[in-house]
Amino acid sequence: MKKFFYVIIAVNISFCKELTFEKLISSYVFVSQRKYPYYIIIDEKNNIQQFFIESKDWTDKIYGYGGPINLQIYFSTDGKIKKINVLEHYETKEFAEKVFTEEFLSQYYLKNIHDKFVLGKDIKAISGATISCNAVNEIIYQCVKNVNEYIFKKQLIKSTLKLPKKEIINSLLFLVLFSGSVVGYILNINLRTTIMLISLIFLGFFYYGGLSFDHIRNLVFLNFPFFGNLFFWFFILLVLFSVVFFGRLYCGWLCPFGSLTEFLFRIKKFLEIKYKKSLGKEIEIELIEDNLIVKNLRKFEKYYRYGKYIIAFVILLFPTMIFLEPFQYTFVIYRSKIKEITYLIFILVMCIMFIRIWCRYLCPLGGSLALFSKISLFRLRIKNEICLRCEICKVVCPMNAIVERDNKLKIIHNECILCNICRKSCGPRAVAMHFLLKERKKLK
């Protein structure tokens, strides 16, 4: 073993004060015109003790939830992992803090190429940090595999990275929810409340908030998580598919935070109506928001809508501003700080007072999906030729996405969340789903 190292060294002896050893020899191997550096630790008698690598030099680009991860992995002379240090990561502290602790990383110690690296079976994952765990697991596995192949020249076993059953089950469950929302929207079936409730439990409490603007930001900057995260890729691709074809279907049917705030508002509205009836008031058409503050605010609503785009742009430039998104505080509240919980309570109180106020004016995720929804193919449209101009659809719209222009009612498609409330409330069925390309052909 000793002779092997000295044959391939690029001889550069250095002394590193930051590390616990005294003498360090840097070396590298070339494979397919790529340089793989590593560092040999020797004692005072020039005996090889161990060696280490940096994962960024030995793996493909593997990203976690927030960006690249770089690990310093120490190996014994027989190829077993001895120690792992974290050099760089950009994961969200509340979710991934435990992934980079000694308690988690020590699970890999003494493992070599003949061991398995199946997350959830051989390696105990951290709840709420699936993407980060998968990324770290894949990084370590690739490093062990490449070190054995390029340095020790041992015969490799086949990859043992298998998709956990949990990933497959979650993907299938989301497919059912997604399919249900598409069918419910297209056929105008009463499935929305049920799907919202399941999404609140599944995507909210079991997947810790569902889609985040952080996911969108990572995609924009090509910081793709490890492709072994089946559920993440299945989830994100279906959402993007739904935006292109239908618009903000995710916002109206599947978003756990949107579902939570709408349910809270419904409870408040139910109690409010019950109280009014107890006073002997007759209620024919109950306005969504019938207070004086809302009436004055909505005069300038077209300006408030830009808030979500501004917040999205700010987070793109300054990723740390993602703290403005309250999803993680809601569903991982036990890990949140007092100031974060206070911020969350403020947002929830506002959403109870004014229906989906976060979705309408502030949500950066909603803003990014709204941009794509402008090109959606299947959208709602008001048939003004049969419309009675009762404006009930305008009154009941939770997003205030129906406005009057040129003496006609029109739906602002990038604000519409496809909740179908307007379709159900319209007597003459003047609100209907429309195929955009068909309309363009008629215009030609």
Side-chain angles (χ1 to χ4, degrees):
M1 183 64 205
K2 189 186 298 186
K3 291 181 180 178
F4 177 77
F5 276 110
Y6 281 96
V7 168
I8 59 174
I9 59 173
V11 188
N12 176 21
I13 299 178
S14 60
F15 295 90
C16 186
K17 296 180 180 178
E18 296 181 0
L19 302 177
T20 57
F21 47 82
E22 294 182 354
K23 199 176 267 188
L24 178 69
I25 298 178
S26 67
S27 184
Y28 57 84
V29 290
F30 274 101
V31 179
S32 301
Q33 297 183 337
R34 178 176 171 179
K35 184 178 179 179
Y36 292 86
Y38 61 93
Y39 307 89
I40 306 166
I41 303 171
I42 59 177
D43 60 19
E44 295 178 354
K45 297 180 180 180
N46 287 332
N47 293 318
I48 298 171
Q49 297 298 307
Q50 56 186 323
F51 67 97
F52 67 89
I53 64 171
E54 288 190 21
S55 62
K56 66 180 179 61
D57 300 322
W58 283 75
T59 63
D60 301 325
K61 286 187 177 180
I62 300 173
Y63 292 91
Y65 184 86
I69 297 172
N70 187 23
L71 305 176
Q72 185 182 62
I73 305 176
Y74 288 76
F75 292 88
S76 61
T77 54
D78 58 355
K80 292 183 179 180
I81 297 175
K82 294 192 67 175
K83 177 75 175 175
I84 301 174
N85 292 329
V86 181
L87 299 181
E88 178 185 28
H89 79 85
Y90 300 90
E91 307 303 274
T92 306
K93 184 178 180 182
E94 286 79 6
F95 288 94
E97 187 174 19
K98 292 185 179 180
V99 178
F100 302 102
T101 61
E102 184 70 11
E103 181 181 357
F104 177 77
L105 296 176
S106 62
Q107 297 180 87
Y108 294 94
Y109 294 176
L110 300 180
K111 283 185 175 290
N112 61 20
I113 191 61
H114 299 295
D115 293 304
K116 294 184 178 180
F117 293 78
V118 181
L119 199 63
K121 184 179 179 181
D122 304 290
I123 303 295
K124 186 178 179 181
I126 300 297
S127 177
T130 304
I131 293 177
S132 301
C133 286
N134 269 317
V136 169
N137 190 60
E138 174 65 5
I139 288 170
I140 296 173
Y141 175 76
Q142 282 195 20
C143 287
V144 171
K145 182 186 72 171
N146 291 337
V147 163
N148 274 267
E149 183 175 6
Y150 303 152
I151 294 182
F152 292 102
K153 306 294 183 183
K154 290 185 178 180
Q155 185 178 3
L156 295 178
I157 60 173
K158 293 183 179 179
S159 173
T160 56
L161 283 172
K162 298 178 181 178
L163 291 174
K165 290 182 180 179
K166 184 180 178 182
E167 288 277 297
I168 299 173
I169 293 172
N170 286 346
S171 300
L172 291 176
L173 179 55
F174 183 71
L175 179 61
V176 171
L177 286 176
F178 177 80
S179 301
S181 62
V182 171
V183 172
Y185 163 61
I186 293 176
L187 301 181
N188 195 16
I189 303 175
N190 293 322
L191 293 175
R192 182 168 174 261
T193 299
T194 302
I195 290 175
M196 286 170 62
L197 181 60
I198 297 174
S199 293
L200 173 61
I201 298 171
F202 170 53
L203 294 178
F205 294 102
F206 283 92
Y207 200 67
Y208 306 96
L211 192 63
S212 165
F213 184 72
D214 218 15
H215 292 116
I216 304 299
R217 182 182 61 82
N218 286 332
L219 292 178
V220 169
F221 290 105
L222 304 180
N223 294 335
F224 302 132
F226 168 51
F227 284 92
N229 293 300
L230 174 65
F231 176 72
F232 168 80
W233 285 106
F234 194 74
F235 178 49
I236 195 75
L237 289 176
L238 279 182
V239 172
L240 293 177
F241 169 85
S242 70
V243 174
V244 173
F245 279 85
F246 305 106
R248 294 175 64 179
L249 185 75
Y250 177 80
C251 296
W253 292 71
L254 298 167
C255 176
F257 188 77
S259 299
L260 175 64
T261 58
E262 187 168 326
F263 285 144
L264 290 175
F265 184 86
R266 287 186 191 182
I267 293 171
K268 187 265 291 188
K269 202 66 184 174
F270 171 78
L271 296 174
E272 186 180 279
I273 292 174
K274 192 173 182 180
Y275 174 71
K276 288 180 179 179
K277 286 183 177 180
S278 69
L279 297 178
K281 292 186 177 181
E282 293 185 6
I283 300 173
E284 295 179 0
I285 300 175
E286 178 66 17
L287 299 176
I288 291 278
E289 297 167 326
D290 55 353
N291 58 68
L292 186 62
I293 297 176
V294 172
K295 291 177 181 178
N296 285 290
L297 284 176
R298 287 197 170 188
K299 292 180 181 179
F300 307 98
E301 187 166 30
K302 63 180 180 180
Y303 300 112
Y304 307 147
R305 297 189 196 276
Y306 289 106
K308 54 183 175 286
Y309 303 110
I310 295 172
I311 293 175
F313 182 72
V314 169
I315 295 175
L316 279 177
L317 295 180
F318 307 100
T320 55
M321 297 298 288
I322 192 65
F323 75 85
L324 292 172
E325 196 178 63
F327 304 163
Q328 55 185 312
Y329 313 138
T330 306
F331 302 105
V332 197
I333 194 168
Y334 55 89
R335 296 185 190 174
S336 303
K337 300 175 182 176
I338 296 297
K339 60 180 181 181
E340 296 167 343
I341 296 174
T342 304
Y343 172 67
L344 170 63
I345 292 173
F346 172 75
I347 295 295
L348 289 177
V349 169
M350 293 296 292
C351 290
I352 292 172
M353 293 174 60
F354 312 108
I355 186 167
R356 283 190 176 259
I357 192 170
W358 169 262
C359 308
R360 278 190 278 173
Y361 309 138
L362 302 171
C363 182
L365 174 63
S368 60
L369 298 183
L371 292 175
F372 286 101
S373 66
K374 289 187 177 182
I375 61 172
S376 59
L377 298 178
F378 297 92
R379 51 177 65 176
L380 294 180
R381 185 176 72 88
I382 297 176
K383 299 178 181 178
N384 280 282
E385 59 273 15
I386 62 172
C387 177
L388 301 178
R389 297 300 303 280
C390 64
E391 296 193 357
I392 292 178
C393 60
K394 181 181 177 182
V395 170
V396 298
C397 178
M399 295 294 288
N400 199 28
I402 300 177
V403 296
E404 185 175 352
R405 291 179 182 172
D406 300 324
N407 294 321
K408 293 181 180 180
L409 291 176
K410 182 180 179 181
I411 297 176
I412 306 174
H413 298 296
N414 55 311
E415 298 297 330
C416 176
I417 58 172
L418 313 177
C419 61
N420 279 343
I421 295 177
C422 56
R423 292 173 76 180
K424 295 182 185 302
S425 66
C426 183
R429 298 292 184 267
V431 183
M433 194 183 71
H434 187 70
F435 185 41
L436 181 62
L437 295 182
K438 188 176 181 181
E439 180 181 354
R440 289 177 178 174
K441 286 180 180 179
K442 286 183 179 180
L443 293 174
K444 290 180 179 180

